Amino acid sequence: MQSNNAYKNGFCIHSNDYVSVNSNNSFETGTVVSMPDMEDIDLPRSGWESNEGLQAALREGYYRLRIINKLPFMIQGLKDRDPEYLPDYIDPLDAVKYITLKNNDKLMMSDLTKDRVHVVGCGKNGVLTIDEPTAIDSVVIVTSCTIKFGQALKITNSVIATTHTDVKSITSPSSITLGKNDNCADGGGSVLLTLGGISLTSKINIYGSQMIAAGNIDFTANADGIQGASLIAGGTIDGTSNGLMAFCGTGMTNIYEAEYFRMAY
């Protein structure tokens, strides 16, 4: 993370390698920044003084990222309408809708049917462009293409997944919104899944939503995750400046989780 980011009570940042922090970030009481060895944290010379609350947030720990290993099964499960992986607004008894692109190779909400799973083919150069002027809402989209989102796209109550392994298998220009701005109410959240990487530019709004990538996740300035954000990457998560991230105790009803167990006596 770079500079001028704020992390609120309950938000956790973890790396199985190390966390790198620049200057002028703030970590509210109750945040956690963890890695296997706290001595490996990467800071500028004045890093402790210029990152309020960071020292108190530090923890040591290692997590086996089981959900990354499950990604291929999750995406295939969406195509197969497996209830284990379908969001609750999709009826597993409804048939999959297969779509060949039209509308100048751009996928629109008018091509989709609400509350259904869609398997969508690629457009020119193997790219699926999703460029809806209003919102993509209450659908599952699965593809093998690289995905390019349009400007200021809103994605609510939806799961969009690709099996493409490119380092930038999902990209977006500025002002993408994942989820519904509903002050952490149940429902409305969206999920992006990829066997590659996610690269998003400035002004990202994340409301009760999630991104999971087998590769890297990177995003530039002005990320707003104050109403619940979950970002999980098999590679690196790289955020720049002026971001705001927080934890929602409720409202994350449609994200994916992996179970962890420990012995107790």
Side-chain angles (χ1 to χ4, degrees), residues 35-231:
M35 65 208 82
D37 186 346
M38 291 190 299
E39 297 297 323
D40 289 336
I41 191 166
D42 180 39
L43 293 171
R45 181 169 297 182
S46 61
W48 296 120
E49 292 76 21
S50 62
N51 290 287
E52 182 182 356
L54 174 59
Q55 203 155 17
L58 281 182
R59 305 286 189 278
E60 286 189 343
Y62 176 88
Y63 292 95
R64 184 180 170 202
L65 295 177
R66 300 178 63 238
I67 201 163
I68 296 296
N69 296 331
K70 290 179 63 175
L71 258 177
F73 305 101
M74 292 160 58
I75 296 174
Q76 186 61 45
L78 292 171
K79 291 177 66 176
D80 294 341
R81 292 170 294 155
D82 184 338
E84 181 179 353
Y85 301 111
L86 286 178
D88 55 15
Y89 48 84
I90 301 292
D91 187 343
L93 299 179
D94 287 339
V96 172
K97 184 176 180 180
Y98 291 86
I99 296 178
T100 301
L101 287 182
K102 51 185 180 179
N103 295 332
N104 297 318
D105 291 326
K106 292 181 179 180
L107 184 69
M108 314 293 285
M109 189 63 207
S110 58
D111 300 317
L112 306 171
T113 301
K114 276 193 172 186
D115 306 328
R116 291 276 289 277
V117 175
H118 304 78
V119 175
V120 185
C122 305
K124 294 177 181 177
N125 302 314
V127 178
L128 169 58
T129 300
I130 303 177
D131 192 11
E132 170 61 55
T134 53
I136 297 294
D137 180 46
S138 300
V139 294
V140 169
I141 299 170
V142 182
T143 186
S144 60
C145 324
T146 58
I147 298 174
K148 180 181 179 182
F149 293 129
Q151 180 90 13
L153 180 68
K154 292 182 172 64
I155 304 171
T156 59
N157 236 30
S158 295
V159 179
I160 299 178
T162 178
T163 57
H164 206 288
T165 58
D166 190 82
V167 292
K168 293 186 177 182
S169 64
I170 298 179
T171 61
S172 170
S174 63
S175 302
I176 187 170
T177 298
L178 295 178
K180 187 177 180 181
N181 186 357
D182 57 8
N183 198 30
C184 294
D186 284 341
S190 292
V191 180
L192 303 182
L193 304 174
T194 176
L195 299 186
I198 299 174
S199 183
L200 308 175
T201 55
S202 62
K203 193 56 183 171
I204 306 161
N205 301 298
I206 307 173
Y207 303 117
S209 294
Q210 183 179 53
M211 292 185 276
I212 307 178
N216 302 332
I217 297 175
D218 66 78
F219 50 93
T220 54
N222 302 311
D224 178 5
I226 191 66
Q227 292 183 27
S230 170
L231 283 67

Side-chain angles (χ1 to χ4, degrees), residues 243-265:
L244 182 61
M245 295 288 175
F247 167 77
C248 267
T250 59
M252 305 288 283
T253 50
N254 286 322
I255 68 169
Y256 292 97
E257 299 174 306
E259 292 179 327
Y260 288 84
F261 306 93
R262 65 180 178 181
M263 297 294 292
Y265 63 93

